[in-house]
Amino acid sequence: MSGVKLTGMMDGQLNRAVDILRAGGLVAFPTETVYGLGADADQEAAVRKIFAAKGRPADHPVIVHVQRAENIQSWTIDIPPAAWKLADAFWPGPLTLILKRSSRAMDVVTGGLDTVGLRVPRHPVAQELLSRLGGAIAAPSANRFGRVSPTTAEHVRREFGDALDLILDGGDCQVGLESTIVDLSGPTPAVLRPGYVTAEQIEAALGMPLGMENESSPRAAGRMTSHYAPRAKVEIVAPHEAAARFATLTAAGVRVVVLGGQPDAAIPEQSRINVPTQAEAYAQQLYAVLRAVDDAGFQVALAIPPPDEGVGAAIADRLRKAAGPRDGA
Ligand code: TXA
Ligand code: MG
């Protein structure tokens, strides 16, 4: 992710992005995880626009992105040593820390909670944007509420059309899944959302085991139904179940696609989407694959998850959420 040269066009777009953010507008920008829909985190009216654009409930907190670890100090009180350990180990990178908020973190940002989510992204465009802004960017993933997160600029364009002031195109996101969220506001650190940075890596960096999810974080990531969901219904199946389930649904007239697994004579090639077996590569492509399922008009996707270890745990989490009950459906 380092060493990406900013082209002349990107240089001009970054200046425009800063002007828009200062004027209280919205800018979509790339991070190494997914694209974010950003507003100046210190402008209440600007952050409100994010909720309107996404169709997101107002009590849902957004992550504050800062350029460097030391920038979290003005956003928080009582920073525990664990926060600096994780910052040293994983920032800049795909990790969000939940900490006690200072008065700088407005209710519109925290959803009224007494904590704030903070992240130092690694993507060079996000880094450069934060550096030129000299401030902080409040940003959720740049998708309509409850839908699949965007991992390309084109995904963002298709979600929002012309509703955004600017979309910075930084290419395909390398991680492809939203950041790992670690709650450091309770008695023991706890993972609220698995991601590319795994629980094992966090425990190793902390030198202590993680606790259970903190009950005082009721609005943590993805607790709501219908999160990370394509239009197609997602069903999680074991490799040996895929062919039989495919046959049953196809016989019932349902347009089914199988995600992953080995080629199988019982499943025609046009009803299979190949996904990488290696977990990091699978994660990077997951959301593009789910969008491709919708684009091709499939009604059901039978997903064979990778082994539930390392990044595989985060993929399994997103697939379970995509497969979970839908609001009102
Ligand atoms: O990788 C990412 O985290 C991306 C990029 C753009 O940084 N952002 C992202 O934001 O995924 P969003 O809003 O789609 O998901 C952030 C999650 C939300 O589900 C929210 O509930 C949780 O973080 N969150 C934010 N602040 C929180 C807080 N103070 N306490 C508990 N959960 C929090
Ligand atoms: Mg999101």
Side-chain angles (χ1 to χ4, degrees), residues 26-302:
L26 300 183
V27 172
F29 65 101
T31 83
E32 68 280 14
T33 58
V34 300
Y35 275 73
L37 181 56
D40 181 340
D42 289 300
Q43 295 188 45
E44 185 173 358
V47 178
R48 280 197 196 293
K49 287 184 190 167
I50 296 174
F51 291 86
K54 280 187 63 112
R56 190 185 210 194
D59 63 353
H60 216 81
V62 290
I63 295 171
V64 174
H65 299 72
V66 294
Q67 195 202 349
R68 281 194 277 268
E70 60 259 34
N71 301 136
I72 68 173
Q73 292 178 96
S74 62
W75 292 93
T76 54
I77 52 168
D78 299 339
I79 301 178
W84 297 119
K85 283 188 190 166
L86 296 183
D88 280 348
F90 304 111
W91 278 352
L95 176 76
T96 294
L97 299 181
I98 307 295
L99 293 162
K100 294 249 165 60
R101 72 158 163 182
S102 71
S103 56
R104 185 174 178 186
M106 295 177 289
D107 282 345
V108 66
V109 168
T110 67
L113 298 174
D114 61 0
T115 55
V116 59
L118 289 153
R119 178 157 108 80
V120 177
R122 179 168 68 192
H123 195 292
V125 172
Q127 273 288 323
E128 190 61 25
L129 183 60
L130 287 163
S131 157
R132 293 187 191 193
L133 179 68
I137 299 177
S141 50
N143 52 278
R144 305 249 177 213
F145 182 66
R147 311 302 299 188
V148 175
S149 293
T151 54
T152 70
E154 181 56 27
H155 292 166
V156 182
R157 247 172 247 125
R158 285 168 52 187
E159 288 278 321
F160 292 102
D162 295 330
L164 301 182
D165 298 314
L166 179 65
I167 300 170
L168 292 174
D169 189 345
D172 293 0
C173 299
Q174 295 199 353
V175 171
L177 297 178
E178 305 83 354
S179 59
T180 306
I181 301 182
V182 179
D183 184 3
L184 294 177
S185 70
T188 351
V191 172
L192 303 185
R193 179 172 72 182
Y196 185 84
V197 177
T198 65
E200 298 75 36
Q201 291 172 322
I202 292 163
E203 289 184 334
L206 290 175
M208 65 179 282
L210 289 159
M212 297 299 284
E213 214 169 289
N214 180 358
E215 282 305 309
S216 67
S217 302
R219 271 165 258 168
R223 290 278 180 76
M224 312 190 56
T225 56
S226 189
H227 239 77
Y228 313 107
R231 278 191 304 276
K233 188 172 171 299
V234 176
E235 279 185 33
I236 297 171
V237 293
H240 66 275
E241 298 167 341
R245 188 67 184 140
F246 178 84
T248 306
L249 289 168
T250 305
V254 179
R255 296 202 59 205
V256 195
V257 65
V258 178
L259 309 181
Q262 297 303 313
D264 185 325
I267 303 165
E269 271 310 297
Q270 66 271 21
S271 302
R272 256 190 88 232
I273 297 181
N274 252 320
V275 295
T277 46
Q278 201 260 343
E280 276 84 7
Y282 189 149
Q284 204 261 332
Q285 290 179 30
L286 175 66
Y287 289 149
V289 165
L290 292 179
R291 282 171 190 271
V293 166
D294 282 346
D295 291 346
F298 289 110
Q299 295 163 298
V300 173
L302 302 178

